Amino acid sequence: MSDELSRDELVRYGRHVSIPEVGLEGQRRLRASSVLIVGAGGLGSPAALYLAAAGVGRLGLVDHDLVELSNLQRQVLHDTRAVGTSKLASARARLEGLNPHVAVETFETRLDSGNALDILAGWDFVVDGSDNFPTRYLVNDACVMLGTPFAYGAILRFEGQASVFAAPGGPCYRCLFRDPPPPDLVPNCAEAGVLGVLPGIVGSIQANEAIKWLAGIGDTLAGRLLLIDALRMEFRSLNITPDPECAVCGPKPSVTELIDYERFCGGPLDGADAGPAETEDTEEAMEELEIDVHELKRRVDDGETFQLVDVREYYEWDICNLAHAGARLVPLATLPEAVESFDRAAPLIIHCRSGPRGDRAVAYLRAMGYDNAVNLAGGILAWAEEIEPGMPQY
């Protein structure tokens, strides 16, 4: 392939070429580059469309699902006519129709430890559009081992996250989330829902990060975690650093080959054979297992004895916390390890950012015999809005 852009390409990419930071050289770089996208769903759809439109020369897609009607609310690569057909066939037709100058390669398989290194090898950049923890840890570990940077994205309800991991000298996904959360404690999009436009926002950010990396322009999200709240329309960026004890990218890694990620991310929790939906606490009962922030404030002011447990992540604690009210941080993923450290005699109040993680934690704790566990309705956001207006929100 000639380094020179054809007349058609010059017209097609004219709005890129006219940007001084991109120019002809940047557009040539994009055409000479390759990106692999894991997942042709909510995040992969906008990422693939914008990378193809931008003129990335070689695009790869990994997926094994069929298009379902419920996908169409957010997975904009596909249309109604594609329902019941292969996502990759639908994606290929759409991308080749959008830009015939892009070579599209497809891998119609489930990414696993046996094929990940072979499939991910040889690409300049990876976009992780997966929707489950086993695949996220798999993509991370494979990219670290291959030395390939990747754009991370995650979505749920109105909230999203994005970053670039495995960049030289930067952190990896495990530096931020050392351990996966127990599966019964974290709802998926099918259970909790997702605003249809949110994956469009996050997937476009992932594409943006890939384009900047490949063209060698701007500052990427490597070393930063972008938090998106689509309901409040707020963006917040947090600095993250490499973990010197990281099991994969640290100086003395303990994980040097791909592992069984389904097993790593866990089955049913020990001591809880059924998930929260199958315990004797129904959803209606769960609604009664809450206290509001005014009741918590009363208990704090009256000096009552209780345990206040924050199940958010460390970076969230650093933004705002209730340490002054006696809160203790126990990230949701570590709850099974910490459960025996709680006093069964003292009331146990759980809180997260806005409530859902607290509900899951309470369901688990009650299944473990902590009948005095309740959730703080609305989480720390409700506290900030109703009790402590000066507290930072995110």
Side-chain angles (χ1 to χ4, degrees):
M1 179 186 295
S2 170
D3 288 340
E4 296 303 317
L5 299 176
S6 68
R7 180 175 297 178
D8 179 83
E9 288 174 300
L10 286 172
V11 174
R12 180 184 290 268
Y13 307 130
R15 301 301 189 276
H16 267 179
V17 174
S18 64
I19 302 173
E21 290 84 355
V22 180
L24 279 171
E25 179 57 30
Q27 195 61 49
R28 291 191 190 104
R29 285 190 179 192
L30 290 177
R31 189 176 67 164
S33 298
S34 61
V35 177
L36 180 72
I37 302 171
V38 179
L43 295 173
S45 287
L49 287 168
Y50 278 110
L51 290 172
V56 172
R58 178 170 160 249
L59 278 182
L61 289 165
V62 185
D63 208 306
H64 66 287
D65 285 336
L66 303 179
V67 179
E68 299 179 7
L69 186 61
S70 62
N71 298 153
L72 302 184
Q73 166 250 14
R74 64 201 177 281
Q75 298 183 18
V76 293
L77 258 180
H78 317 294
D79 61 27
T80 304
R81 293 169 297 179
V83 171
T85 68
S86 160
K87 280 188 179 180
L88 291 189
S90 170
R92 178 190 285 276
R94 178 72 177 92
L95 296 174
E96 290 178 345
L98 176 63
N99 191 347
H101 298 287
V102 175
V104 180
E105 298 180 23
T106 57
F107 302 86
E108 194 145 7
T109 184
R110 183 184 183 87
L111 198 69
D112 59 33
S113 299
N115 62 24
L117 290 176
D118 289 335
I119 292 176
L120 271 63
W123 300 89
D124 296 317
F125 197 88
V126 171
V127 171
D128 180 13
S130 62
D131 61 358
N132 62 85
F133 287 101
T135 305
R136 287 175 187 160
Y137 281 95
L138 169 62
V139 169
N140 176 80
D141 294 1
C143 283
V144 170
M145 293 173 190
L146 292 168
T148 305
F150 73 96
Y152 154 76
I155 52 174
L156 190 70
R157 293 180 177 163
F158 296 96
E159 298 176 11
Q161 298 180 353
S163 189
V164 171
F165 292 122
C172 77
Y173 180 74
R174 284 186 187 247
C175 294
L176 184 62
F177 301 110
R178 180 177 296 187
D179 300 304
D184 289 337
L185 294 184
V186 180
N188 56 37
C189 287
E191 295 172 334
V194 61
L195 183 69
V197 73
L198 180 62
I201 297 170
V202 177
S204 296
I205 290 171
Q206 291 177 281
N208 183 59
E209 295 306 293
I211 290 169
K212 289 189 298 179
W213 182 274
L214 299 170
I217 61 175
D219 297 322
T220 71
L221 284 172
R224 291 182 291 154
L225 179 68
L226 184 66
L227 304 175
I228 301 127
D229 185 334
L231 193 60
R232 297 165 177 260
M233 210 58 243
E234 293 178 348
F235 291 74
R236 185 182 181 92
S237 178
L238 304 176
N239 293 330
I240 50 178
T241 58
D243 180 357
E245 298 181 356
C246 179
V248 176
C249 75
K252 296 180 179 179
S254 58
V255 178
T256 57
E257 59 184 24
L258 300 183
I259 61 176
D260 183 341
Y261 291 89
E262 295 288 345
R263 183 174 182 181
F264 172 65
C265 290
L269 297 172
D270 292 339
D273 295 331
E278 297 174 339
T279 66
E280 59 186 45
D281 295 316
T282 64
E283 290 186 10
E284 289 185 4
M286 283 303 298
E287 292 179 1
E288 298 176 0
L289 301 179
E290 295 181 334
I291 65 167
D292 64 27
V293 291
H294 297 282
E295 172 61 15
L296 175 60
K297 179 68 163 56
R298 184 196 65 76
R299 295 189 187 190
V300 171
D301 291 344
D302 290 350
E304 293 187 10
T305 299
F306 61 89
Q307 304 164 95
L308 181 58
V309 177
D310 184 341
V311 295
R312 298 176 301 151
E313 298 293 330
Y314 289 97
Y315 70 87
E316 294 175 282
W317 174 273
D318 289 340
I319 298 171
C320 59
N321 60 69
L322 295 178
H324 56 286
R328 166 189 173 189
L329 179 64
V330 180
L332 194 62
T334 67
L335 189 59
E337 302 168 15
V339 67
E340 294 303 326
S341 67
F342 301 142
D343 183 353
R344 293 182 180 272
L348 186 56
I349 302 172
I350 307 298
H351 88 80
C352 62
R353 177 180 179 270
S354 59
R357 280 177 285 178
D359 283 336
R360 293 266 168 158
V362 167
Y364 170 65
L365 289 166
R366 287 192 163 250
M368 296 295 290
Y370 287 84
D371 296 332
N372 56 2
V374 296
N375 187 30
L376 181 65
I380 200 168
L381 283 185
W383 180 276
E385 291 172 353
E386 300 182 36
I387 305 298
E388 200 173 331
M391 175 178 283
Q393 299 185 35
Y394 64 103

